[in-house]
């Protein structure tokens, strides 16, 4: 059970980390509002 | 412990000192503009009145059967090969020497000394090829040479002084090795090494300023007349820092590859287990340095290309979308070979580490991913086809493979290859260790999850690139790179914490390495050299019919872009000549260790003299 929790926490934590990383880069380049503007026209 | 910390701190400071010239300074000239002949620094009018000569074909001297362009090309390429080697060697010799002090391991010191020995002949050959290049330029392109020397006149004296300093310090550094071996004297020796690197880097950066000016000139008007007396404007042209950065990193990778080939040569010719162990270790260390420098190199190349595009879109498109684009496919093949070769060497090396069998099953998956990424990287966007072939395909682009020919796919493939090559290194590094900490299991899960999500993010950003406008597509490569770097950083930190009090599963059996693994090191050296020659041609060739882009036109009969086949032939000729000369350097280093046995009559005469008490 403990192992499963570690897996879930690690995956969720990593996804959050990379989400914020992508978000910050896109924001710094394009001044997009917080909330990743994933598919700009 | 305090002393250890002090040594580490000094070493880190020394390495960072070398990087100072790479730090970009705030200067308006960094923002290049389309149309080359611009200066963005407002100053008093320049005193210089000369301008770039407008040449005619008859202004170029001819040496009959010698093709001027190809003569200069080969001379410049050979000088660059040797220059790269002799500038790179002192950098990692200094690092290895410092590591020897830090780890109190004399093996590092011996290896550093031996590497310097190999490069001593290369120093002479660098000067020789440099002289050859200068003569070729003075004789075959006198007007161009005169103009560029007029522009960069104040820097030439510094170049000469740096060259003299390099020669003096290089010989002092090498010949004082045993005299300044321990204690405070060793620090004096390290300082000499640092000084040697300072001179070396100064030479590189000055030469880069000249080359950069030929690519992206600033500070002159359309006729080539300087609009400023400030030499710094010419030096700090838009191409300068990207070129400094790219060459600095590439030189380390290149030096590592050549020294790795030397270690392989010595390993294969060794007869005793001690020698085999020593050269196996040297080969591993060199390969480690070469690949560590290779991993960030594509990113530096990316910056360089971005600067070319920023300066002149036309020049960028000529490189990436015109005739030169096909050479980037050759580049992809060579880089793929380098990555596969480096990984293969590591996988072979894992055989000598007890405990590595835990990771053996993973190798086939790593190999599969790297091969797949390699295939994506070398897929061209369009290929040369007959009308019949086009009809069969349904157009000039393959509907299935065409999308793999553009940058999002290439960036994803490059990052994937880097990520999985790092994984090979990572597994090699921890192969014989078992952590005894209670959280080791959780730490491993965190690393696995982080790696997997990072790779998923890289693939997501790659696919994302197809769905958004070009500007977003290009920018998406930045978080891709940061994802790769995050993995390297996070995994190394967690792993080093995990293995602080690790249990060893047995020593690394240096020397227990297959013969064929050594050929991977030769492959790396040849691939690196060839790659440099081909990419160097692209970098220089995209100026097309200009000596100095948009400022000084090349009016000679050689001012055309050669066919790819011909260009590759010249680049390959330079590569083969260099390889022959490098083997000569290895051989010289080898024969310096051979001592002929005294003749019997000489021994008898000595014995008689000793008997008489003379």
């Amino acid at each position: 059970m403990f192992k499963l929790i570690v897996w879930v926490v690690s995956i969720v934590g990593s996804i959050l980390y990379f989400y914020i990383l992508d978000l910050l880069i896109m924001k710094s380049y394009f001044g997009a509002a917080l909330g990743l503007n994933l598919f700009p026209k | 412990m305090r002393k250890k910390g002090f040594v580490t701190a000094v070493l880190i400071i020394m390495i960072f000192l070398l990087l100072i010239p790479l730090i970009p300074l705030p200067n308006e000239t960094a923002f290049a503009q389309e149309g080359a002949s611009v200066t963005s620094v407002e100053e008093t009018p320049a005193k210089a009145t000369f301008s770039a000569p407008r040449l005619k074909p008859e202004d170029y001297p001819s040496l009959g059967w010698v093709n001027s362009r190809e003569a200069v090309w080969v001379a410049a390429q050979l000088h660059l090969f040797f220059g790269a080697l002799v500038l790179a060697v002192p950098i990692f010799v200094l690092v290895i020497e410092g590591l020897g002090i830090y780890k109190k391991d004399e093996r590092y010191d011996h290896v550093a000394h031996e590497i310097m020995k190999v490069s001593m002949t290369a120093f002479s050959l660098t000067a020789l090829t440099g002289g050859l290049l200068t003569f070729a330029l003075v004789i075959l392109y006198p007007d161009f040479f005169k103009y560029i020397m007029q522009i960069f006149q104040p820097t030439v004296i510094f170049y000469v002084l740096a060259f003299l300093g390099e020669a003096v310090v290089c010989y002092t550094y090498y010949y004082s090795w045993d005299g300044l071996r321990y204690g405070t004297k060793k620090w004096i020796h390290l300082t000499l090494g640092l000084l040697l690197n300072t001179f070396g880097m100064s030479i590189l950066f000055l030469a880069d300023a000249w080359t950069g000016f030929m690519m992206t000139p600033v500070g002159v008007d359309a006729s080539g007349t300087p609009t400023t007396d400030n030499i710094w404007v010419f030096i700090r042209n838009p191409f300068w820092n990207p070129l400094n950065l790219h060459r600095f990193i590439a030189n380390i990778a290149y030096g590592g590859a050549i020294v790795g080939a030397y270690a392989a040569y010595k390993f294969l010719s060794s007869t005793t287990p001690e020698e085999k162990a020593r050269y196996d270790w040297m080969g591993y260390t060199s390969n480690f340095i070469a690949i560590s420098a290779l991993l960030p190199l594509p990113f530096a190349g990316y910056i360089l290309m971005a600067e070319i595009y920023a300066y002149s879109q036309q020049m960028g498109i000529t490189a990436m979308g015109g005739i030169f684009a096909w050479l980037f496919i050759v580049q992809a093949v060579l880089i793929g070979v380098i990555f596969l070769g480096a990984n293969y060497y590591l996988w072979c090396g894992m055989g000598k580490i007890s405990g590595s069998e835990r990771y053996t099953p993973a190798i086939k998956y790593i190999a599969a991913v790297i091969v797949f990424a390699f295939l994506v990287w070398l897929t061209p966007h369009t290929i040369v086809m007959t009308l019949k072939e086009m009809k069969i395909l349904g157009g000039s682009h393959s509907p299935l493979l065409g999308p793999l020919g553009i940058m999002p796919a290439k960036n994803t493939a490059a990052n994937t290859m880097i990520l999985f090559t790092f994984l090979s290194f990572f597994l090699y590094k921890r192969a014989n260790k078992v952590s005894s900490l209670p959280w080791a299991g959780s730490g491993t899960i965190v690393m696995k999850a982080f790696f997997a999500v990072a790779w998923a993010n890289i693939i997501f950003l790659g696919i994302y690139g197809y769905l958004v406008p070009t500007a977003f597509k290009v920018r998406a490569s930045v978080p891709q790179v940061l994802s790769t770097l995050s993995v390297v950083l996070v995994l190394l930190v967690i792993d080093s914490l995990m293995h602080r009090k690790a249990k060893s599963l047995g020593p690394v059996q240096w020397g227990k390495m297959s013969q064929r693994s050594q050929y991977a090191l030769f492959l790396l050296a040849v691939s690196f050299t060839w790659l440099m020659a081909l990419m160097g041609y692209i970098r220089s060739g995209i100026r097309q019919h200009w000596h100095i882009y948009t400022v000084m036109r090349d009016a000679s009969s050689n001012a055309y872009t050669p066919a790819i086949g011909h260009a590759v032939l010249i680049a390959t000729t330079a590569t083969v000549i260099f390889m022959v000369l490098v083997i000569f350097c290895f051989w010289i280093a080898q024969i310096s260790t051979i001592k002929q046995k005294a003749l019997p009559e000489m021994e008898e005469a000595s014995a008689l003299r000793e008997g008489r008490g003379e």
Side-chain angles (χ1 to χ4, degrees):
Chain A
M1 189 61 193
F2 174 72
K3 216 172 162 182
L4 185 70
I5 294 169
V6 175
W7 266 111
V8 172
V9 171
S10 306
I11 290 175
V12 172
S14 304
I15 290 172
L16 268 176
Y17 170 81
F18 286 108
Y19 175 74
I20 292 167
L21 184 86
D22 294 355
L23 192 79
L24 285 177
I25 298 297
M26 289 304 170
K27 185 175 155 47
S28 66
Y29 269 132
F30 304 110
L34 275 174
L36 185 57
N37 183 13
L38 266 184
F39 300 103
K41 285 183 182 173
Chain B
M1 193 62 203
R2 271 181 66 190
K3 199 176 169 188
K4 208 173 171 183
F6 176 72
V7 172
T8 316
V10 171
L11 194 67
I12 290 170
I13 290 168
M14 279 177 150
I15 294 166
F16 272 94
L17 275 176
L18 293 176
L19 299 175
I20 283 177
L22 296 178
I23 299 167
L25 296 171
N27 189 328
E28 299 87 329
T29 50
F31 298 99
Q33 294 172 20
E34 177 71 27
S37 316
V38 289
T39 174
S40 43
V41 175
E42 284 180 22
E43 290 190 356
T44 50
K47 290 186 200 100
T49 51
F50 61 89
S51 58
R54 298 276 170 265
L55 300 173
K56 294 185 286 300
E58 53 272 24
D59 293 327
Y60 291 85
S62 168
L63 289 181
W65 55 274
V66 177
N67 182 309
S68 305
R69 178 191 179 139
E70 285 163 11
V72 169
W73 184 349
V74 172
Q77 192 60 65
L78 286 174
H79 182 52
L80 202 98
F81 282 148
F82 278 110
L85 178 62
V86 302
L87 293 181
V89 164
I91 296 173
F92 65 79
V93 161
L94 181 70
V95 174
I96 294 174
E97 199 185 357
L99 278 173
I101 301 177
Y102 176 69
K103 295 196 169 185
K104 294 192 175 63
D105 187 343
E106 288 237 86
R107 278 185 308 175
Y108 285 93
D109 212 57
H110 288 304
V111 163
H113 193 190
E114 185 155 357
I115 295 171
M116 272 309 283
K117 185 169 84 180
V118 179
S119 67
M120 290 310 279
T121 321
F123 268 104
S124 309
L125 287 168
T126 310
L128 197 75
T129 48
L132 197 68
L133 174 63
T134 312
F135 280 127
L137 284 171
V138 169
I139 293 168
L140 301 169
Y141 293 91
D143 295 294
F144 159 72
F145 195 68
K146 188 181 167 195
Y147 175 69
I148 197 127
M149 285 299 111
Q150 274 178 319
I151 292 276
F152 283 100
Q153 201 178 21
T155 65
V156 176
I157 185 71
F158 287 105
Y159 188 84
V160 173
L161 288 175
F163 185 72
L164 283 174
E166 169 99 358
V168 170
V169 178
C170 177
Y171 288 108
T172 317
Y173 182 62
Y174 176 67
Y175 287 105
S176 65
W177 202 288
D178 290 325
L180 303 172
R181 190 139 203 160
Y182 304 104
T184 313
K185 286 186 176 176
K186 190 66 180 169
W187 285 100
I188 298 172
H189 196 255
L190 273 177
T191 311
L192 281 174
L194 184 68
L195 207 58
L196 176 62
N197 277 298
T198 311
F199 284 124
M201 298 288 270
S202 307
I203 290 174
L204 174 71
F205 291 163
L206 283 173
D208 283 353
W210 308 340
T211 311
F213 182 81
M214 287 169 69
M215 303 289 298
T216 56
V218 284
V220 289
D221 63 18
S223 66
T225 307
T227 53
T228 174
D229 286 327
N230 186 354
I231 183 73
W232 183 237
V233 174
F234 306 128
I235 293 174
R236 226 194 145 283
N237 59 74
F239 204 58
W240 189 52
N241 264 330
L243 192 63
N244 286 338
L245 181 69
H246 195 263
R247 281 188 170 170
F248 173 71
I249 301 173
N251 284 357
I252 297 174
Y254 186 54
I258 297 291
V259 174
Y262 172 76
Y265 165 76
K266 294 290 282 185
F267 180 91
L268 291 173
S269 56
S270 297
T271 47
T272 62
E274 293 77 29
E275 272 198 338
K276 278 209 182 295
R278 185 174 164 189
Y279 290 111
D280 182 18
W281 185 81
M282 186 177 179
Y284 167 73
T285 310
S286 309
N287 185 49
F288 177 77
I289 292 170
I291 301 304
S292 302
L294 178 69
L295 296 185
L297 198 56
F299 309 140
Y302 208 85
I303 295 171
L304 196 136
M305 277 315 294
E307 195 60 57
I308 288 181
Y309 267 98
Y311 185 83
S312 164
Q313 278 209 11
Q314 189 193 337
M315 209 198 280
I317 291 166
T318 306
M320 303 292 287
I323 184 174
F324 294 94
W326 264 94
L327 282 174
F328 277 92
I329 300 297
V330 182
Q331 177 216 28
V333 174
L334 284 171
I335 293 180
V337 166
I338 288 172
F339 273 110
L340 279 172
N343 276 283
Y344 176 74
Y345 178 77
L346 284 173
W347 299 333
C348 287
M350 281 168 89
K352 67 190 169 205
I353 306 174
S354 317
S356 65
E357 55 282 354
R358 293 175 295 165
Y359 301 122
T360 313
I363 290 175
K364 55 181 174 291
Y365 300 114
I366 298 176
V369 172
I370 291 177
V371 168
F372 185 71
F374 175 34
L375 292 174
V376 170
W377 201 346
L378 63 82
T379 302
H381 193 204
T382 54
I383 50 174
V384 180
M385 285 183 288
T386 62
L387 197 62
K388 195 179 164 193
E389 287 166 335
M390 253 192 217
K391 274 183 183 164
I392 295 168
L393 199 65
S396 59
H397 298 74
S398 161
L400 187 67
L401 298 176
L404 298 181
I406 57 172
M407 281 317 279
K410 309 293 183 202
N411 287 337
T412 309
N415 278 288
T416 300
M417 279 173 95
I418 293 170
L419 208 58
F420 280 81
T421 303
F422 168 73
L423 186 61
S424 288
F425 260 112
F426 187 72
L427 297 181
Y428 184 99
K429 191 174 156 283
R430 71 197 317 254
N432 67 339
K433 292 176 194 160
V434 178
S435 174
S436 52
L437 294 170
W439 57 271
S442 305
T444 308
I445 292 173
V446 171
M447 288 194 287
K448 281 180 183 170
F450 194 78
F451 186 94
V453 175
W455 192 30
N457 189 46
I458 288 168
I459 294 170
F460 159 74
L461 288 164
I463 297 168
Y464 174 71
Y466 288 98
L467 309 171
V468 290
T470 307
F472 284 75
K473 180 163 70 188
V474 174
R475 302 291 199 237
S477 64
V478 179
Q480 275 188 325
V481 171
L482 290 175
S483 301
T484 306
L485 294 179
S486 297
V487 169
V488 173
L489 198 71
V490 168
L491 263 62
L492 285 180
V493 168
I494 296 180
D495 192 61
S496 64
L497 290 174
M498 256 171 73
H499 289 111
R500 265 184 310 175
K501 288 175 187 165
K503 198 175 79 184
S504 173
L505 293 173
V508 179
Q509 294 164 296
W510 293 109
K512 196 187 148 198
M513 191 76 168
S514 65
Q515 302 265 358
R516 64 175 181 274
S517 66
Q518 302 303 307
Y519 292 98
L521 292 180
F522 289 131
L523 179 83
L524 285 182
V526 175
S527 304
F528 264 111
T529 312
W530 208 22
L531 188 62
M532 272 172 73
L534 290 173
M535 299 313 288
Y537 164 63
I538 298 180
R539 201 271 305 140
S540 184
I542 54 175
R543 288 196 321 272
Q544 295 181 298
H545 52 280
W546 297 96
H547 288 310
I548 297 166
Y549 194 61
T550 70
V551 170
M552 185 178 177
R553 204 182 173 102
D554 181 353
S556 71
S557 56
N558 293 313
Y560 59 90
T561 302
I564 288 175
H566 186 71
V568 170
L569 193 70
I570 303 294
T572 308
T573 305
T575 306
V576 171
I577 296 172
F578 174 73
M579 281 296 154
V580 170
L581 291 172
V582 160
I583 292 169
F584 173 71
C585 293
F586 290 178
W587 179 71
I588 289 282
Q590 172 99 336
I591 60 165
S592 68
T593 58
I594 299 170
K595 204 171 178 183
Q596 192 186 0
K597 205 171 177 297
L599 295 170
E601 56 264 36
M602 297 292 282
E603 279 179 350
E604 276 173 27
S606 297
L608 276 173
R609 269 201 306 275
E610 275 170 23
R612 288 199 298 267
E614 287 176 21

